[in-house]
Structure formats: C-alpha cells, structure tokens
Amino acid sequence: MTAPTPPPSHHGPSRDYDPWTSPPPGAAASGGPGDTGGPGPGGETGGLRRSGAETGGVEVRREVRDAVPVAVAVAVAGVALGLLWLWLAPRIPLVSDGTAVYLRDSEGEETVGADGTFVLLALGVGALTGAAVFLARRRGGIGTVIGLALGAVLGSVLAWRLGVQLGPEQDVVARAGEVGRGEVFDAPLELKAKGALLAWPFAALLVHLGLTALFGPRDPGPEPFPHPGWGPPPGSGAPGKE
C-alpha cells in the first residue's frame, strides 16, 4: 500500500503571484503609505509643500514692503540732483546772424561739460543714498537692494528731465528770434551720453555693498555635528587627568 498524498498547503505563495506587478487600481484609495491625502509619508510631504509655499509668499511680501519705501525715498532725491545739475552745468553760448545759429566758441568744452557734471553729481548722490539706505536698513535684504537700484534709476531720469525742463529754452530758433541778431544766448541743457543715467545706481549699489560687507550683520556659523564616537568613553574622566 502507498501512503496517501497530503493536500496542497494554501498558506504559501501562489504560483501565479508576482511581487513586481502593480497593485490593483482600488488599492491606492485604501489609505496606504502612498496615499498623499492620508497620514502616510505622502500626506506629510504635501503638507510640507503647502507650508513652504506659504512661507515663500510671506517672504516675497516682506521684501516688496521693504523695496517700495526705499525706492520712493531714493527717487525723490532726484529732484536735488536735477537742481544741482541745472545750477552747476556749464552753459553753451550761441549766437545768431539772422539766418542761422552758431556756437560762439566752436573750440569750447562746454558741449561735454554738462554730461561730465551730471556724472560727477550722480556719483556723489549715489554714494550718499547708498550710505543712507545702509544706515536706515542695516539688516539689508534683497528687497532693500532692489529698491535702492530701482529708486536710483528713477531718480536719475527725474533729475535729467527736471534739469532739461527748467533749463534754457528748448526751441533754439524761437529763442534766437527773441534775442535778435548778433545777441548771445544759452543753448538748451542736454544730456548727450545717456549712459550717465547709470552713474547713480552704480555708486549707490557699490557703497551699499561695501558697507554691508564691512559692517553688516553676520550670519551665525553652523554648529558642529556631534559624532557618537567622539570624545572620551562614558564614565571615564577627561584625558590627561587621573
């Protein structure tokens, strides 16, 4: 007689089981670790993303609040630069013979003196505004730097247009007709080199950066990470002591 064959065990894995196959579509909704809406790691990651986005939005709003008043205050200083330029820029004398207008001194350097005066004044005002912004906002920040640069550019444009508008008459022909033949009058105030408008923001940012590097607050250095194997073994005294 032969021994009876034992029945197959149903506790082991089936032959048709493949551990590399994807789970059924409904398995993702069971609240497993991969479910981003549940308490698993996916849900925690989604919460961290939302928290990071909210923190980033708060930082952006704070930087904008820092940039706007700085830009406005610096741009208003363009009025002073425009008045100084109008007062100190050399005048270009013109003369009319009744049919055309000529330079009274064709070899004079007044034609480039207006640009040079604007650049020198802009560099000085830029250094002052850069130092003033650093003293007012010593903690610095991206918003402060952006506001300083934007305000300096706007102030340069404001100073240029203000000096031109308050300067001598822009219509040379009409002015020549008013003064008469053979009379000397001043040419309009012009800024021929438009690159001079960048002198103010360049000086302001340079001074602000230098003062921040020298006297600005320092970030605390990272603390050393304690390694479990460092130092004397537990229960022993300090090295070199009995």
Side-chain angles (χ1 to χ4, degrees):
M1 295 180 61
T2 60
T5 305
S9 175
H10 295 284
H11 298 287
S14 174
R15 293 182 179 179
D16 298 333
Y17 173 74
D18 187 358
W20 304 108
T21 56
S22 301
S30 61
D35 185 10
T36 56
E44 295 178 1
T45 304
L48 291 176
R49 290 198 189 100
R50 290 192 295 271
S51 177
E54 294 174 358
T55 304
V58 172
E59 292 292 335
V60 170
R61 289 193 293 270
R62 188 184 68 180
E63 297 296 345
V64 171
R65 288 196 300 267
D66 290 344
V68 171
V70 172
V72 173
V74 173
V76 170
V79 176
L81 175 59
L83 296 177
L84 287 174
W85 183 47
L86 175 64
W87 178 35
L88 298 176
R91 297 293 186 261
I92 303 175
L94 301 178
V95 62
S96 173
D97 61 356
T99 59
V101 178
Y102 304 95
L103 290 171
R104 191 184 67 172
D105 185 7
S106 59
E107 297 181 357
E109 298 179 355
E110 294 86 356
T111 55
V112 296
D115 291 358
T117 303
F118 188 92
V119 170
L120 293 177
L121 292 174
L123 290 175
V125 174
L128 292 177
T129 52
V133 169
F134 171 77
L135 294 176
R137 300 290 180 91
R138 188 179 291 269
R139 63 182 178 85
I142 299 176
T144 301
V145 175
I146 293 177
L148 176 60
L150 182 60
V153 172
L154 295 177
S156 294
V157 176
L158 176 62
W160 165 43
R161 298 311 305 170
L162 182 65
V164 170
Q165 293 298 324
L166 297 181
E169 176 64 38
Q170 296 293 308
D171 191 345
V172 177
V173 176
R175 181 59 178 165
E178 291 177 3
V179 300
R181 180 177 181 179
E183 295 294 332
V184 179
F185 60 97
D186 294 333
L189 186 60
E190 296 179 343
L191 187 65
K192 298 183 181 298
K194 299 303 186 290
L197 297 174
L198 300 178
W200 183 351
F202 173 78
L205 292 177
L206 185 63
V207 170
H208 186 272
L209 178 62
L211 292 176
T212 302
L214 293 175
F215 308 107
R218 298 292 187 268
D219 295 332
E223 297 182 359
F225 180 76
H227 192 275
W230 294 351
S236 63
K241 293 183 179 181
E242 298 295 338

